Amino acid sequence: MMRSRWGLAVLMLIFFIPLAAVAEESETDAVYLETIEVTAPKDTTNRVTQTEIERKTATTLWEALRGVPGVYQTTSGARGESVILIRGSNRYQVGMYVDGVPTATAYRNEWDYNNSLTFDLESIEVSKGYSSPLLQSSNGLAGVINVKTRKPQKELEFKAKYMNFFDRHGDDQSRLFGASIGTRQEMFYLQAQVIHDEQDFFTLSDSFNAGRDERGDRRENSDYKNRRLNLVGGVTPTDDIDIMFGIVKQQFEKGQPPDASRSGTNRFWRWPEYDTDRYYMNADLRVNPQAKFQVVAYYDEHTDKSVDYTDATYSAIAANSRDQTYEQYTAGGQVKFEYEFNSANILGTSVGYRRLSHKDKRYRTTTGNATTGSRSNWGLNEEDVEDYYDVGAEYTFQPISPLTLVLGASYTRLEPVTADTYQRGALVGLRDKSDIRQDMFNYQVGAFYDVTTDHQMFFTFAKKSRPATMRERYWRTGDAPANPDIDPEEALHFELGYRGMPNKWLKLNASAYYSMYDDKIASTRDANNNTIFDNIDKADIYGLELGAEAFVTSWMSVGATASFMDWDTDTDTRSMENLTDAPKVVGNIYAEVMPTERLSIVPEVYMTSDFYNSANPDAANKKSAGFAVFNLKAAYDISKNITVEAGVKNLLDQDYYYNYYFPEAGRTYFVGLSADF
């Protein structure tokens, strides 16, 4: 079955290619792509626009990033979170930002990408390996994702969206509503946005085989409720000043679907709180035509609470409960300065500070009552605070007219402030904090050669490093000590690429990369079989990424992406030989057909080869099968302001997994209504 679905995808591509070939023969009907701006800032960033988000019917950030070359998706079964990987990385090696504000959790440097909703975003930027040193530099060993909030552009504007999703039986399973109202005046702008995304359940594929804790049909414990309020205000006293203030209040509660296999140990957890409060300022200040500042200040607070139940009825708290509450925040700021000596010489610098704070509070197992004020009987279990100091510089210049060089460097200092664990009423303190400070120096170079105005070649090199997360540095089980001396991971990234327009209707990009990871951090076992984190291995990861976009005629466009990856590991621990959740081949093909001016039909397919569930090549169930998922939608513009849409996801009702035996939804229907004034 898998082979036939890949074959169908190939047939789709074969069908589209001849259509593209006739585009030159119908010049009168052709619609041309926007030209590549070779004068734009030189980088290798992939940008996902709101138009692409709408085409994918992506309601979450996780869905919006599907199909981006080099981006891989998985789920964390143990915590029920959706995860983004970049070029074989793990979840801790990817930096996550919203409007330049680091938003990943302080303790683990991770994020549930389904927690981030895409309604009315401006764009999503993805940098892989090579990324600006003017960001907080130690937060993106493998890459960086930066989400940009849309600002109002008109004197009065309003946008609303409603989506309803139904399972393969036609039963109502989830719905989303979003509304935004804003205004832009001569000296200020305001915007308020509210989103409510709620799921009662999702239904598995009809071909799913029941497991021990999963009967099939409606997925157990798969409900969630996600509500977000986003307020944006800005002052623009002149054309050279834009000071934006943002407030995000988000409440997210969810169930955690259990392992659906017939064996294994399950967690029966729910998350009554997975909340975020964010307050930030992002200011752009141009001093004169050559000089400008950007100032970012933020306080990002995250609380998540898990409750551990005895069984799949979720009716009684477990006697030996693992209930816990994480209270954590990231606070800090950054100042960037850019000076343009002339069009061929630009200097950028940055300085930044951030504090990461984490408190782990455990709950009494006998009565379920919290004892947060006590250091015994499952009260305050762990408290960690760390400070980061960042300095970055980037210089762009042109030694000859078609060649642009970008040199960058950054320095980060990590200073632990508090690292205390409370075990059975006793305070377990670490030794002198000055002994475990860490200094990291990174550097990079990018060369961009404009062959013509329509063709560009580039080569980049970046040396990156990542300190261990708080969890990796201070984790304790049994009698195993914490490992605060764990070294930072390091990576050397090389990339050679091309982007251009062989014709006005065809846009291509291609890149080959080689990444060398050293001192990779992974969980392992000590002599007493306790879980610890340590620097245990090296890995070389290499691959090829391709992308194409074409307007075939005035009524049809097509696109495709493909990512090919492989790796070599150098480790004394056989159980760490494989990269997990990283398919060697990932692909995406789509088309947009407009039989009339107002009607568009979008078929698409996402393909993934098989991948390892376990890094140990000797493990049982070490691999998950590859899959191809087909989606189809149609959208109709009732007027220039109102659009209706309907479609189906997982058209063939494929039974598939991103994480071993945590199955995804079967065939799902949807309808939607959007208004934009």
Side-chain angles (χ1 to χ4, degrees):
M1 178 64 74
M2 182 63 213
R3 183 176 298 173
S4 66
R5 288 172 181 169
W6 275 91
L8 182 56
V10 172
L11 287 176
M12 287 178 64
L13 186 58
I14 293 173
F15 173 74
F16 289 145
I17 288 174
L19 290 175
V22 304
E24 288 186 292
E25 301 175 5
S26 54
E27 290 289 331
T28 57
D29 295 330
V31 178
Y32 297 138
L33 293 165
E34 293 183 8
T35 58
I36 292 177
E37 297 183 31
V38 296
T39 58
K42 305 299 185 182
D43 58 40
T44 58
T45 301
N46 290 107
R47 291 175 175 83
V48 181
T49 65
Q50 183 62 222
T51 300
E52 293 175 84
I53 292 172
E54 291 290 341
R55 174 180 59 77
K56 298 176 181 180
T57 319
T59 59
T60 69
L61 182 59
W62 191 78
E63 293 176 320
L65 292 173
R66 184 183 287 130
V68 176
V71 170
Y72 298 80
Q73 297 173 286
T74 186
T75 58
S76 170
R79 292 177 60 86
E81 295 170 336
S82 296
V83 179
I84 292 296
L85 313 176
I86 292 179
R87 293 178 174 173
S89 64
N90 64 45
R91 63 191 307 184
Y92 309 123
Q93 297 170 333
V94 177
M96 170 67 184
Y97 297 83
V98 175
D99 295 324
V101 175
T103 57
T105 57
Y107 184 56
R108 295 171 177 256
N109 185 39
E110 61 189 8
W111 191 250
D112 185 349
Y113 285 81
N114 271 339
N115 185 39
S116 297
L117 302 173
T118 58
F119 173 72
D120 209 21
L121 290 181
E122 177 186 297
S123 63
I124 306 164
E125 298 179 341
V126 181
S127 301
K128 295 167 286 188
Y130 177 88
S131 59
S132 175
L134 305 182
L135 282 171
Q136 285 91 339
S137 57
S138 63
N139 201 23
L141 182 76
V144 171
I145 296 169
N146 186 24
V147 176
K148 290 192 172 183
T149 302
R150 181 182 178 275
K151 299 177 183 179
Q153 301 298 319
K154 297 185 292 186
E155 185 175 352
L156 180 63
E157 57 185 46
F158 172 76
K159 182 175 181 179
K161 187 179 187 69
Y162 178 77
M163 299 288 295
N164 213 152
F165 296 86
F166 306 88
D167 69 3
R168 55 187 170 85
H169 306 298
D171 294 332
D172 179 7
Q173 65 180 24
S174 64
R175 57 221 64 86
L176 176 145
F177 171 76
S180 174
I181 187 169
T183 179
R184 177 174 283 273
Q185 303 295 325
E186 183 178 355
M187 299 185 66
F188 69 91
Y189 55 87
L190 297 169
Q191 181 173 273
Q193 180 191 98
V194 61
I195 307 175
H196 183 100
D197 182 21
E198 183 172 5
Q199 177 173 280
D200 303 324
F201 60 89
F202 71 79
T203 297
L204 299 171
S205 165
D206 186 52
S207 59
F208 171 79
N209 294 318
R212 186 189 62 188
D213 296 310
E214 177 58 64
R215 300 185 303 273
D217 206 41
R218 294 187 178 184
R219 182 73 161 110
E220 303 294 330
N221 206 33
S222 60
D223 62 301
Y224 66 77
K225 186 180 294 183
N226 194 355
R227 294 163 289 186
R228 188 183 77 188
L229 172 66
N230 189 6
L231 302 176
V232 171
V235 292
T236 54
T238 72
D239 292 340
D240 296 325
I241 299 176
D242 185 341
I243 305 175
M244 182 182 79
F245 300 90
I247 298 175
V248 176
K249 306 284 287 186
Q250 185 166 6
Q251 294 180 328
F252 188 30
E253 55 185 280
K254 63 178 180 177
Q256 179 179 312
D259 185 316
S261 64
R262 295 180 175 85
S263 61
T265 302
N266 241 327
R267 290 179 174 179
F268 302 107
W269 280 12
R270 291 191 60 81
W271 304 80
E273 294 180 34
Y274 198 93
D275 299 345
T276 298
D277 290 335
R278 183 177 305 130
Y279 308 89
Y280 66 99
M281 179 196 73
N282 197 320
D284 292 299
L285 312 168
R286 181 169 288 280
V287 179
N288 56 47
Q290 288 77 40
K292 65 179 181 180
F293 285 92
Q294 183 181 40
V295 182
V296 179
Y298 52 86
Y299 178 84
D300 188 84
E301 183 178 47
H302 181 71
T303 302
D304 71 63
K305 177 181 179 180
S306 59
V307 179
D308 185 15
Y309 292 88
T310 57
D311 55 36
T313 65
Y314 301 94
S315 57
I317 295 177
N320 187 24
S321 175
R322 291 172 288 189
D323 293 4
Q324 60 190 43
T325 296
Y326 285 174
E327 295 177 356
Q328 46 196 325
Y329 69 81
T330 301
Q334 187 176 39
V335 178
K336 300 179 187 177
F337 174 72
E338 182 181 293
Y339 191 86
E340 185 176 339
F341 298 95
N342 52 51
S343 60
N345 290 270
I346 303 172
L347 174 66
T349 60
S350 68
V351 293
Y353 162 79
R354 56 206 153 103
R355 166 162 287 193
L356 278 60
S357 173
H358 166 76
K359 289 183 179 180
D360 173 7
K361 296 181 179 180
R362 300 296 173 98
Y363 283 74
R364 182 180 297 164
T365 59
T366 54
T367 65
N369 296 324
T371 56
T372 56
S374 170
R375 291 184 177 179
S376 62
N377 197 23
W378 295 88
L380 182 60
N381 184 65
E382 185 174 340
E383 182 175 9
D384 306 311
V385 179
E386 295 181 339
D387 287 342
Y388 286 80
Y389 301 88
D390 300 293
V391 179
E394 189 172 63
Y395 183 58
T396 303
F397 67 102
Q398 290 183 300
I400 57 176
S401 180
L403 176 64
T404 300
L405 297 180
V406 184
L407 308 179
S410 66
Y411 165 78
T412 295
R413 181 163 197 174
L414 163 61
E415 291 194 356
V417 177
T418 302
D420 295 329
T421 301
Y422 306 94
Q423 301 282 349
R424 293 175 293 277
L427 173 63
V428 180
L430 296 170
R431 62 182 181 276
D432 184 9
K433 308 286 190 305
S434 62
D435 292 343
I436 54 177
R437 292 172 180 165
Q438 292 185 346
D439 297 279
M440 288 154 283
F441 180 68
N442 296 320
Y443 47 89
Q444 61 186 46
V445 59
F448 302 85
Y449 190 87
D450 300 325
V451 181
T452 69
T453 56
D454 293 325
H455 302 275
Q456 183 184 87
M457 300 290 296
F458 62 86
F459 170 79
T460 64
F461 163 77
K463 183 265 183 185
K464 295 294 183 73
S465 56
R466 176 188 79 89
T469 63
M470 291 179 176
R471 179 173 183 259
E472 292 164 332
R473 292 160 65 83
Y474 306 129
W475 173 268
R476 291 173 54 87
T477 58
D479 297 324
N483 188 13
D485 293 315
I486 190 169
D487 292 329
E489 292 182 315
E490 292 190 348
L492 302 178
H493 300 288
F494 303 85
E495 182 173 0
L496 178 65
Y498 161 82
R499 53 191 174 196
M501 298 183 66
N503 202 295
K504 293 180 179 179
W505 53 268
L506 177 63
K507 186 181 291 186
L508 298 175
N509 64 75
S511 62
Y513 66 89
Y514 200 103
S515 296
M516 304 165 62
Y517 289 84
D518 196 7
D519 286 330
K520 281 181 65 66
I521 299 170
S523 62
T524 184
R525 299 280 181 172
D526 66 6
N528 297 318
N529 204 35
N530 294 312
T531 299
I532 61 171
F533 289 90
D534 207 349
N535 306 105
I536 63 171
D537 59 2
K538 300 180 180 181
D540 291 352
I541 304 174
Y542 43 90
L544 177 66
E545 296 165 2
L546 304 170
E549 181 183 2
F551 274 116
V552 179
T553 70
S554 60
W555 51 269
M556 187 169 80
S557 62
V558 298
T561 63
S563 302
F564 306 90
M565 181 182 65
D566 209 339
W567 63 84
D568 296 311
T569 56
D570 180 6
T571 175
D572 295 330
T573 307
R574 179 168 169 77
S575 61
M576 295 295 164
E577 284 192 5
N578 294 322
L579 296 187
T580 58
D581 305 318
K584 293 187 177 182
V585 183
V586 175
N588 162 231
I589 305 171
Y590 70 88
E592 184 169 6
V593 182
M594 299 185 66
T596 70
E597 184 179 355
R598 295 188 176 186
L599 175 65
S600 63
I601 301 171
V602 182
E604 62 182 355
V605 57
Y606 296 98
M607 301 157 286
T608 294
S609 66
D610 55 13
F611 54 92
Y612 289 100
N613 307 299
S614 172
N616 187 347
D618 300 322
N621 302 317
K622 65 182 179 181
K623 264 192 175 183
S624 283
F627 55 83
V629 176
F630 292 84
N631 302 329
L632 179 66
K633 70 177 282 187
Y636 184 78
D637 296 329
I638 297 175
S639 69
K640 68 176 183 178
N641 304 113
I642 299 176
T643 301
V644 295
E645 60 183 314
V648 56
K649 295 187 176 186
N650 194 2
L651 178 66
L652 301 181
D653 200 30
Q654 165 89 318
D655 182 26
Y656 69 103
Y657 310 80
Y658 285 102
N659 187 303
Y660 178 71
Y661 246 75
F662 287 84
E664 299 295 316
R667 185 184 298 116
T668 302
Y669 304 96
F670 64 87
V671 294
L673 176 66
S674 302
D676 192 350
F677 295 90

